[in-house]
Amino acid sequence: MDVLDRQEAKPASYPIAPFNLTAAAEALDHNMIWSRIESYISHRWTEREVIWIVEGDGNWQPDLTPASVTAVEKWSNYAWASETLNPSPLGGYELTGTGPYRFTATVGSGTVPADVKEAFRRLAEYVVETTTEKPGSSSEAYDIGSLKVEFHRSASWLGRTMQNSGAADLLRPYRRI
């Protein structure tokens, strides 16, 4: 079975940021941090519409959670037609033909857990620390009396913020499989 397409709408708003941020982290665009977290995990806490186009036989279930499927359609005679599918014993739906099928769902709800709020805090603080103290540098060295300080940063440092900040470890239970 193949997921041919997934269109996830932007939420009307993201959850509020945790309250224990430094002033510099508080000044960041919180939507940017939430967007980064959501791209890494499968759970959503604010509602939005998602549409999947799926093809093939077998069991299928949404890869985002919590999801409430509001419409199931199958492509037939050059148009989408409403379809009733049997539930799968593993959750989701049992697809009994090649399709393609279109699933429309409302995804997202609930209270943001403490570990996800902590991941937000770690990610925001890391982004602020690395962008304000050593912006764009890959190598820096200076002497303070007899002490020599050297700083090296990989060119991919920004792409690894989730891991380097420690947020990824906290988000492991919410990760996509």
Side-chain angles (χ1 to χ4, degrees), residues 8-16 31 34 38 44-49 106-108:
E8 182 177 357
K10 294 281 185 204
S13 64
Y14 285 98
I16 61 170
N31 292 340
W34 277 118
E38 284 189 353
R44 303 294 185 261
W45 287 276
T46 53
E47 240 181 53
R48 81 278 318 262
E49 182 181 75
T106 301
V107 174

mmCIF file of all heavy atoms in Angstrom, residues 8-16 31 34 38 44-49 106-108:
data_model
loop_
_atom_site.group_PDB
_atom_site.id
_atom_site.type_symbol
_atom_site.label_atom_id
_atom_site.label_comp_id
_atom_site.label_asym_id
_atom_site.label_seq_id
_atom_site.Cartn_x
_atom_site.Cartn_y
_atom_site.Cartn_z
ATOM 1 N N GLU A 8 -1.579 18.453 4.590
ATOM 2 C CA GLU A 8 -1.897 18.852 5.957
ATOM 3 C C GLU A 8 -2.047 20.363 6.000
ATOM 4 O O GLU A 8 -1.111 21.099 5.707
ATOM 5 C CB GLU A 8 -0.785 18.400 6.912
ATOM 6 C CG GLU A 8 -1.064 18.733 8.350
ATOM 7 C CD GLU A 8 0.005 18.210 9.299
ATOM 8 O OE1 GLU A 8 0.948 17.529 8.862
ATOM 9 O OE2 GLU A 8 -0.111 18.491 10.501
ATOM 10 N N ALA A 9 -3.230 20.817 6.356
ATOM 11 C CA ALA A 9 -3.476 22.256 6.457
ATOM 12 C C ALA A 9 -2.731 22.826 7.661
ATOM 13 O O ALA A 9 -2.466 22.118 8.633
ATOM 14 C CB ALA A 9 -4.969 22.525 6.593
ATOM 15 N N LYS A 10 -2.380 24.082 7.591
ATOM 16 C CA LYS A 10 -1.792 24.765 8.747
ATOM 17 C C LYS A 10 -2.901 24.965 9.771
ATOM 18 O O LYS A 10 -4.035 25.274 9.416
ATOM 19 C CB LYS A 10 -1.224 26.124 8.349
ATOM 20 C CG LYS A 10 -0.058 26.050 7.412
ATOM 21 C CD LYS A 10 1.189 25.717 8.162
ATOM 22 C CE LYS A 10 2.398 25.746 7.247
ATOM 23 N NZ LYS A 10 3.462 24.947 7.714
ATOM 24 N N PRO A 11 -2.592 24.794 11.039
ATOM 25 C CA PRO A 11 -3.632 25.029 12.050
ATOM 26 C C PRO A 11 -3.947 26.515 12.157
ATOM 27 O O PRO A 11 -3.103 27.362 11.817
ATOM 28 C CB PRO A 11 -2.994 24.500 13.326
ATOM 29 C CG PRO A 11 -1.529 24.643 13.094
ATOM 30 C CD PRO A 11 -1.318 24.416 11.630
ATOM 31 N N ALA A 12 -5.135 26.829 12.637
ATOM 32 C CA ALA A 12 -5.495 28.235 12.861
ATOM 33 C C ALA A 12 -4.531 28.865 13.863
ATOM 34 O O ALA A 12 -4.187 30.037 13.770
ATOM 35 C CB ALA A 12 -6.930 28.344 13.349
ATOM 36 N N SER A 13 -4.083 28.062 14.819
ATOM 37 C CA SER A 13 -3.074 28.514 15.780
ATOM 38 C C SER A 13 -2.379 27.280 16.341
ATOM 39 O O SER A 13 -2.925 26.187 16.316
ATOM 40 C CB SER A 13 -3.711 29.319 16.912
ATOM 41 O OG SER A 13 -4.583 28.499 17.659
ATOM 42 N N TYR A 14 -1.176 27.493 16.836
ATOM 43 C CA TYR A 14 -0.437 26.425 17.507
ATOM 44 C C TYR A 14 -0.690 26.547 19.008
ATOM 45 O O TYR A 14 -1.179 27.572 19.481
ATOM 46 C CB TYR A 14 1.062 26.548 17.215
ATOM 47 C CG TYR A 14 1.440 26.105 15.818
ATOM 48 C CD1 TYR A 14 1.611 27.026 14.794
ATOM 49 C CD2 TYR A 14 1.628 24.761 15.520
ATOM 50 C CE1 TYR A 14 1.965 26.613 13.515
ATOM 51 C CE2 TYR A 14 1.981 24.348 14.251
ATOM 52 C CZ TYR A 14 2.146 25.279 13.247
ATOM 53 O OH TYR A 14 2.490 24.864 11.992
ATOM 54 N N PRO A 15 -0.320 25.526 19.783
ATOM 55 C CA PRO A 15 -0.456 25.648 21.240
ATOM 56 C C PRO A 15 0.379 26.826 21.749
ATOM 57 O O PRO A 15 1.329 27.255 21.084
ATOM 58 C CB PRO A 15 0.116 24.324 21.765
ATOM 59 C CG PRO A 15 0.025 23.369 20.618
ATOM 60 C CD PRO A 15 0.201 24.211 19.388
ATOM 61 N N ILE A 16 0.031 27.317 22.905
ATOM 62 C CA ILE A 16 0.815 28.411 23.475
ATOM 63 C C ILE A 16 2.182 27.869 23.896
ATOM 64 O O ILE A 16 2.336 26.686 24.177
ATOM 65 C CB ILE A 16 0.107 29.095 24.674
ATOM 66 C CG1 ILE A 16 -0.123 28.095 25.808
ATOM 67 C CG2 ILE A 16 -1.185 29.747 24.248
ATOM 68 C CD1 ILE A 16 -0.585 28.740 27.095
ATOM 69 N N ASN A 31 5.468 29.887 16.364
ATOM 70 C CA ASN A 31 4.941 29.034 15.301
ATOM 71 C C ASN A 31 6.071 28.278 14.603
ATOM 72 O O ASN A 31 5.904 27.128 14.213
ATOM 73 C CB ASN A 31 4.152 29.859 14.284
ATOM 74 C CG ASN A 31 2.884 30.416 14.870
ATOM 75 O OD1 ASN A 31 2.376 29.935 15.879
ATOM 76 N ND2 ASN A 31 2.353 31.449 14.240
ATOM 77 N N TRP A 34 6.983 25.335 16.933
ATOM 78 C CA TRP A 34 5.954 24.288 16.870
ATOM 79 C C TRP A 34 5.989 23.566 15.528
ATOM 80 O O TRP A 34 5.849 22.344 15.462
ATOM 81 C CB TRP A 34 4.557 24.845 17.124
ATOM 82 C CG TRP A 34 4.247 24.978 18.568
ATOM 83 C CD1 TRP A 34 3.966 26.126 19.244
ATOM 84 C CD2 TRP A 34 4.204 23.931 19.548
ATOM 85 N NE1 TRP A 34 3.763 25.856 20.579
ATOM 86 C CE2 TRP A 34 3.896 24.518 20.795
ATOM 87 C CE3 TRP A 34 4.404 22.554 19.494
ATOM 88 C CZ2 TRP A 34 3.775 23.778 21.965
ATOM 89 C CZ3 TRP A 34 4.281 21.821 20.664
ATOM 90 C CH2 TRP A 34 3.966 22.436 21.879
ATOM 91 N N GLU A 38 6.420 19.620 15.078
ATOM 92 C CA GLU A 38 5.414 18.813 14.382
ATOM 93 C C GLU A 38 5.976 18.080 13.175
ATOM 94 O O GLU A 38 5.497 17.012 12.828
ATOM 95 C CB GLU A 38 4.222 19.679 13.974
ATOM 96 C CG GLU A 38 3.326 20.015 15.132
ATOM 97 C CD GLU A 38 2.030 20.677 14.710
ATOM 98 O OE1 GLU A 38 1.873 21.011 13.516
ATOM 99 O OE2 GLU A 38 1.168 20.855 15.580
ATOM 100 N N ARG A 44 -0.555 15.703 16.975
ATOM 101 C CA ARG A 44 -0.944 17.103 16.798
ATOM 102 C C ARG A 44 -1.857 17.487 17.957
ATOM 103 O O ARG A 44 -2.692 16.699 18.398
ATOM 104 C CB ARG A 44 -1.696 17.324 15.484
ATOM 105 C CG ARG A 44 -0.925 16.899 14.227
ATOM 106 C CD ARG A 44 0.284 17.771 14.013
ATOM 107 N NE ARG A 44 0.980 17.497 12.787
ATOM 108 C CZ ARG A 44 2.075 16.751 12.693
ATOM 109 N NH1 ARG A 44 2.576 16.162 13.758
ATOM 110 N NH2 ARG A 44 2.660 16.576 11.532
ATOM 111 N N TRP A 45 -1.682 18.721 18.456
ATOM 112 C CA TRP A 45 -2.512 19.179 19.570
ATOM 113 C C TRP A 45 -3.491 20.266 19.172
ATOM 114 O O TRP A 45 -4.367 20.601 19.940
ATOM 115 C CB TRP A 45 -1.625 19.653 20.737
ATOM 116 C CG TRP A 45 -0.993 18.489 21.417
ATOM 117 C CD1 TRP A 45 -1.560 17.709 22.394
ATOM 118 C CD2 TRP A 45 0.273 17.908 21.148
ATOM 119 N NE1 TRP A 45 -0.714 16.692 22.742
ATOM 120 C CE2 TRP A 45 0.432 16.793 21.993
ATOM 121 C CE3 TRP A 45 1.320 18.225 20.280
ATOM 122 C CZ2 TRP A 45 1.558 15.997 21.992
ATOM 123 C CZ3 TRP A 45 2.448 17.432 20.279
ATOM 124 C CH2 TRP A 45 2.549 16.330 21.132
ATOM 125 N N THR A 46 -3.338 20.822 17.984
ATOM 126 C CA THR A 46 -4.324 21.799 17.511
ATOM 127 C C THR A 46 -4.946 21.269 16.231
ATOM 128 O O THR A 46 -4.280 20.653 15.401
ATOM 129 C CB THR A 46 -3.680 23.185 17.275
ATOM 130 O OG1 THR A 46 -2.552 23.045 16.426
ATOM 131 C CG2 THR A 46 -3.259 23.821 18.583
ATOM 132 N N GLU A 47 -6.239 21.513 16.094
ATOM 133 C CA GLU A 47 -7.019 20.951 15.005
ATOM 134 C C GLU A 47 -6.633 21.514 13.652
ATOM 135 O O GLU A 47 -6.359 22.698 13.516
ATOM 136 C CB GLU A 47 -8.502 21.269 15.256
ATOM 137 C CG GLU A 47 -9.343 20.052 15.372
ATOM 138 C CD GLU A 47 -10.803 20.383 15.605
ATOM 139 O OE1 GLU A 47 -11.390 21.159 14.835
ATOM 140 O OE2 GLU A 47 -11.348 19.839 16.581
ATOM 141 N N ARG A 48 -6.667 20.622 12.648
ATOM 142 C CA ARG A 48 -6.496 21.003 11.258
ATOM 143 C C ARG A 48 -6.999 19.869 10.385
ATOM 144 O O ARG A 48 -7.152 18.744 10.851
ATOM 145 C CB ARG A 48 -5.052 21.369 10.938
ATOM 146 C CG ARG A 48 -4.039 20.265 10.670
ATOM 147 C CD ARG A 48 -3.409 19.578 11.857
ATOM 148 N NE ARG A 48 -2.993 20.368 12.972
ATOM 149 C CZ ARG A 48 -1.763 20.776 13.190
ATOM 150 N NH1 ARG A 48 -0.812 20.489 12.349
ATOM 151 N NH2 ARG A 48 -1.458 21.438 14.274
ATOM 152 N N GLU A 49 -7.245 20.156 9.111
ATOM 153 C CA GLU A 49 -7.707 19.143 8.180
ATOM 154 C C GLU A 49 -6.503 18.502 7.491
ATOM 155 O O GLU A 49 -5.530 19.176 7.157
ATOM 156 C CB GLU A 49 -8.620 19.758 7.118
ATOM 157 C CG GLU A 49 -9.171 18.717 6.146
ATOM 158 C CD GLU A 49 -10.059 19.325 5.076
ATOM 159 O OE1 GLU A 49 -9.519 19.962 4.149
ATOM 160 O OE2 GLU A 49 -11.282 19.143 5.173
ATOM 161 N N THR A 106 -10.083 15.222 10.418
ATOM 162 C CA THR A 106 -9.708 16.292 11.326
ATOM 163 C C THR A 106 -8.685 15.692 12.273
ATOM 164 O O THR A 106 -8.931 14.652 12.870
ATOM 165 C CB THR A 106 -10.935 16.807 12.108
ATOM 166 O OG1 THR A 106 -11.897 17.286 11.167
ATOM 167 C CG2 THR A 106 -10.536 17.919 13.057
ATOM 168 N N VAL A 107 -7.542 16.337 12.362
ATOM 169 C CA VAL A 107 -6.436 15.828 13.166
ATOM 170 C C VAL A 107 -6.091 16.852 14.232
ATOM 171 O O VAL A 107 -6.073 18.050 13.967
ATOM 172 C CB VAL A 107 -5.207 15.544 12.278
ATOM 173 C CG1 VAL A 107 -4.010 15.154 13.104
ATOM 174 C CG2 VAL A 107 -5.528 14.468 11.263
ATOM 175 N N GLY A 108 -5.820 16.374 15.437
ATOM 176 C CA GLY A 108 -5.327 17.232 16.507
ATOM 177 C C GLY A 108 -6.336 17.520 17.597
ATOM 178 O O GLY A 108 -7.470 17.872 17.315
#
